[in-house]
Amino acid sequence: MKVTVFGCGYVGLVSGACLAEVGNDVLCVDTDARKVELLKQGKTPIHEPGLEDLLLGNTRAGRLNFTADMASAVRHGALQFIAVGTPPDEDGAADLQYVLAVARAIGEHMSDYQVVVNKSTVPVGTADKVRATLAEALKKRGVALDYSVVSNPEFLKEGAAIDDFMKPDRIVIGSSDARAIEMMRALYAPFNRSHERVLVMDARSAELTKYDANAMLATKISFMNELANIAERVGADIEQVRIGIGSDPRIGYHFIYPGCGYGGSCFPKDVQALARAAEQNHYRPELLHAVQSVNHKQKEVLFDKIHAHFNGKLKGKTIALWGLAFKPNTDDMREAPSRVLMEKLWAHGARVQAHDPVAMSEARRLYGERSDLALCEEPYEALRNADALALVTEWKVFRSPDFSQIKKLLKQPAVFDGRNLYDPDMLKREGILHYGIGRGNHNI
């Protein structure tokens, strides 16, 4: 099938590459000409395991191409995917200007029946706005053409997006148009062979499904962090509690890991946008506001522990930091807990020596060269002459470190474990102070 994908960001690139991988003729569009040239060479501007190989292989095979020409892009595909950004407005609502700009361009250049697919994460009612924008553009041209608008939200986890697309849990198609649904079923047939994964519903329900899924996951994280903070104060170990409650099949073990808060491009933005949408419809979403509030506070927990350990005297101290990305297997630092920790340490006169397996370039882009930040190429280099270690991102490389080296390289053997990776009793035997999250019967 001929497919056009507008937007060469995270969702657009993964979707385009995976659709090309199963044999479709895919043209990806971006207004950034420099990015387009980079992609034509098979290089990706983002870090996602397996993506660069897919881009290179399908580009060489001729199934995946890139352009900045909107007109040729509209002419290419019977299916027109919109996968552009929807950043938050000042009031927290999703900004649809890029989505509607693409819809307008499609309406200005289309010449036959096409299915316009909203792949971007958008508020309820966006399909109606896209439909109206297309109608307006066609009316200005004095042209009458049939078209369909479908909501097809993505459910991709950064760091595992290729597997998520190729082996999806569900494929949500929001439409009441039989012709469009048939085309979408055909497109997704290669990803739907072992059992039925396609869920057909109305567009508004599909749009809300995406927001609600992310809000539910964010809620689980914040709720677990709330329980961890209680456990710490009553002298219980949240890791033991986690196993105790996770054994109940109604609860399960997924997404009940306490830590130093969630970040990234999805959960913070989508929870905020869903809350704003509720308020625009005259409903105050108390729980969603609580989820955000708990998360904002949780991102400060590691700093609070460090501040207390040093009796508030952080000026001149050096803190080693392991993990900059908001989660493993990505270089994304948007809303990352590491940023909150570093910025608060700097505000109190401390210096940071940080290491991350892939997010170092992103950190340089965000913060530039500064005297209170050293980006270290090796994990143990970050420890040298540091006063303490803060573990922020649970990369696999950090899971089984050499604790004797940690003790030797740190001025003070103290580890602030923001992801509860380490056994407090083991560190105690090694002579290292351990500060975890919600480990009230272990914490110093």
Side-chain angles (χ1 to χ4, degrees):
M1 300 180 77
K2 287 183 176 290
V3 180
T4 297
V5 180
F6 289 91
C8 291
Y10 183 82
V11 174
L13 284 180
V14 171
S15 300
C18 290
L19 289 170
E21 179 71 6
V22 296
N24 295 294
D25 181 358
V26 180
L27 180 60
C28 291
V29 198
D30 202 280
T31 55
D32 185 338
R34 183 175 173 273
K35 182 190 287 187
V36 168
E37 288 305 311
L38 189 72
L39 289 165
K40 284 181 178 179
Q41 300 169 29
K43 298 177 182 177
T44 173
I46 61 174
H47 177 86
E48 178 61 37
L51 179 58
E52 191 157 322
D53 289 342
L54 278 187
L55 291 176
L56 189 60
N58 286 288
T59 300
R60 287 176 174 171
R63 293 187 299 267
L64 180 62
N65 291 285
F66 301 92
T67 186
D69 183 348
M70 300 290 274
S72 64
V74 175
R75 288 194 299 269
H76 174 82
L79 291 155
Q80 302 272 314
F81 276 74
I82 301 177
V84 295
T86 53
D89 256 336
E90 291 181 6
D91 64 354
D95 185 349
L96 294 177
Q97 63 170 310
Y98 305 113
V99 170
L100 298 181
V102 172
R104 193 172 300 110
I106 294 171
E108 288 168 354
H109 298 290
M110 67 189 297
S111 58
D112 200 354
Y113 173 80
Q114 288 176 311
V115 177
V116 179
V117 184
N118 280 335
K119 198 71 176 170
S120 301
T121 300
V122 293
V124 175
T126 299
D128 295 335
K129 292 180 180 179
V130 168
R131 193 176 292 108
T133 301
L134 288 164
E136 182 183 359
L138 289 170
K139 184 179 179 181
K140 282 184 178 179
R141 292 170 57 196
V143 175
L145 292 171
D146 287 337
Y147 57 88
S148 300
V149 177
V150 173
S151 175
N152 176 222
E154 53 85 13
F155 298 95
L156 306 176
K157 299 186 295 293
E158 289 194 44
I162 303 299
D163 277 349
D164 285 345
F165 198 102
M166 301 299 283
K167 302 172 185 176
D169 297 319
R170 71 283 208 195
I171 300 165
V172 174
I173 298 173
S175 177
S176 56
D177 185 310
R179 185 179 180 184
I181 293 169
E182 183 180 356
M183 290 178 68
M184 294 295 289
R185 282 190 180 276
L187 180 70
Y188 280 111
F191 311 98
N192 195 41
R193 293 192 67 194
S194 64
H195 64 274
E196 182 60 66
R197 294 182 174 93
V198 172
L199 306 174
V200 178
M201 59 186 74
D202 64 273
R204 285 178 172 252
S205 296
E207 290 164 343
L208 188 59
T209 295
K210 169 61 179 179
Y211 272 128
D212 286 359
N214 279 351
M216 178 66 78
L217 295 172
T219 299
K220 291 185 76 172
I221 295 170
S222 279
F223 185 69
M224 202 63 196
N225 284 333
E226 188 91 303
L227 296 183
N229 294 333
I230 295 171
E232 191 160 302
R233 285 156 177 80
V234 300
D237 183 353
I238 194 62
E239 289 301 313
Q240 295 180 32
V241 173
R242 177 179 64 79
I243 295 168
I245 65 176
S247 61
D248 185 331
R250 296 171 300 174
I251 297 172
Y253 294 104
H254 293 296
F255 268 74
I256 60 168
Y257 290 89
C260 49
Y262 62 76
S265 63
C266 295
F267 288 4
K269 173 177 70 71
D270 293 352
V271 173
Q272 185 181 36
L274 182 57
R276 182 60 183 151
E279 288 167 343
Q280 288 173 339
N281 286 275
H282 315 294
Y283 178 78
R284 178 168 173 78
E286 303 289 354
L287 184 55
L288 293 180
H289 286 306
V291 168
Q292 295 178 86
S293 176
V294 169
N295 191 57
H296 290 152
K297 292 176 183 175
Q298 199 68 18
K299 289 182 181 181
E300 299 181 348
V301 164
L302 276 185
F303 172 79
D304 292 341
K305 291 177 181 290
I306 295 169
H307 189 262
H309 174 78
F310 289 104
N311 297 313
K313 299 174 182 177
L314 288 172
K315 189 172 184 179
K317 300 294 183 185
T318 297
I319 306 300
L321 194 150
W322 280 0
L324 293 165
F326 85 94
K327 63 180 285 189
N329 298 320
T330 181
D331 61 352
D332 194 343
M333 289 180 63
R334 284 174 288 185
E335 303 277 348
S338 64
R339 297 179 65 175
V340 175
L341 175 58
M342 288 193 295
E343 289 164 15
K344 289 185 76 70
L345 288 169
W346 292 331
H348 285 74
R351 186 173 177 273
V352 173
Q353 295 179 172
H355 171 79
D356 187 283
V358 303
M360 306 278 273
S361 295
E362 179 66 3
R364 288 190 186 95
R365 186 188 71 81
L366 289 169
Y367 294 112
E369 297 296 327
R370 49 187 300 160
S371 60
D372 51 8
L373 173 63
L375 295 171
C376 304
E377 295 302 322
E378 298 294 335
Y380 295 103
E381 182 187 346
L383 303 180
R384 200 173 302 280
N385 294 317
D387 293 282
L389 167 64
L391 184 285
V392 186
T393 313
E394 64 275 30
W395 285 93
K396 287 181 180 178
V397 71
F398 301 145
R399 291 186 180 182
S400 296
D402 185 338
F403 291 110
S404 64
Q405 276 289 93
I406 291 176
K407 184 178 179 181
K408 178 181 176 181
L409 292 170
L410 290 175
K411 289 181 182 178
Q412 301 182 39
V415 172
F416 296 85
D417 183 359
R419 299 297 175 184
N420 286 355
L421 285 191
Y422 306 135
D423 180 349
D425 292 330
M426 180 189 293
L427 267 67
K428 187 176 182 180
R429 290 193 296 271
E430 294 282 346
I432 300 173
L433 297 179
H434 177 270
Y435 297 87
I437 305 294
R439 314 207 69 171
N441 59 343
H442 291 290
N443 284 353
I444 309 302

